[in-house]
Amino acid sequence: MKKTLNWLYEHWMKATPFLAIYTFILIWLYVKDVDFGLFLIWLQCPFYWAHEFEEYVAPGGFLKFFNLGPLGSTRPDKPLTKAGSFWINIPLMYVLLPLSGVLSHYFGNEWGLWTAYYSTLNASAHVVMFFIFGRKYNPGLVCSILLNIPLGVFTIWYFLANNLVSTGANIVSIIVGIIAQASMMVYGFAYLVPQSKKEGYHKSTHN
């Protein structure tokens, strides 16, 4: 089991281009002309997998950037490890996002609107990091600007403009999107940063 998990920690991200391409083709062919709102919800998945491809494969280097930059570590491989990245990404991007598409199909598109808010918030964080850290590229920035933010904003506008979501469901979607993004930030800054300080490889411990 441990060997299998170690293999997944190293290679999970390599599936992202295939998942993104095949999923995009399928929803373009079978969902777009049937239910455009549902198509926009499903589209969050391939666009986010493309985002992860940029972060972890080509050009990659997100773990190094995030550890040395936002988390203030002196090590490129800690405190956010490959295992930690796996357990952050898989439940959210490979389970909850597709599950939201399925629930939207059976119970109404409102079930998936939170993904647009989350995608917009998460992608916007890359833009914020660009300005905070010397206006330098960070892995995921290009997809954030070209794919995730435009899709997220357009999806929200489309749902509101066409009355596809009630006020209550929209508020819940905003809250869930914020919670999804905040959970990642809490894990990073409330757990990983104190861990790096405790173990002595945080930059502040060397000042």
Side-chain angles (χ1 to χ4, degrees), residues 60-131:
F62 180 76
L63 284 182
K64 178 180 179 180
F65 161 77
F66 200 67
N67 280 321
L68 298 180
L71 296 184
S73 176
T74 59
R75 296 185 53 168
D77 59 335
K78 285 187 175 184
L80 182 58
T81 63
K82 291 180 179 179
S85 179
F86 174 86
W87 289 111
I88 289 173
N89 281 281
I90 296 302
L92 184 57
M93 314 310 174
Y94 290 80
V95 178
L96 290 182
L97 257 65
L99 179 61
S100 294
V102 174
L103 292 175
S104 295
H105 173 77
Y106 286 104
F107 302 106
N109 292 348
E110 293 180 340
W111 281 79
L113 184 58
W114 74 270
T115 62
Y117 283 107
Y118 165 74
S119 183
T120 303
L121 287 171
N122 184 268
S124 297
H126 283 268
V127 178
V128 172
M129 289 188 291
F130 169 79
F131 288 102

Side-chain angles (χ1 to χ4, degrees), residues 133-163:
F133 295 96
R135 298 194 175 188
K136 295 181 180 179
Y137 167 81
N138 61 80
L141 179 64
V142 173
C143 282
S144 293
I145 294 173
L146 298 182
L147 297 179
N148 305 112
I149 293 176
L151 174 63
V153 171
F154 178 76
T155 300
I156 295 165
W157 171 83
Y158 182 83
F159 271 64
L160 295 177
N162 292 279
N163 296 314

Side-chain angles (χ1 to χ4, degrees), residues 35-84:
D35 186 336
F36 191 69
L38 181 61
F39 169 74
L40 293 176
I41 296 301
W42 271 112
L43 198 57
Q44 309 296 328
C45 293
F47 274 29
Y48 207 90
W49 291 329
H51 177 108
E52 291 189 318
F53 177 77
E54 182 188 352
E55 286 184 320
Y56 294 101
V57 181
F62 180 76
L63 284 182
K64 178 180 179 180
F65 161 77
F66 200 67
N67 280 321
L68 298 180
L71 296 184
S73 176
T74 59
R75 296 185 53 168
D77 59 335
K78 285 187 175 184
L80 182 58
T81 63
K82 291 180 179 179

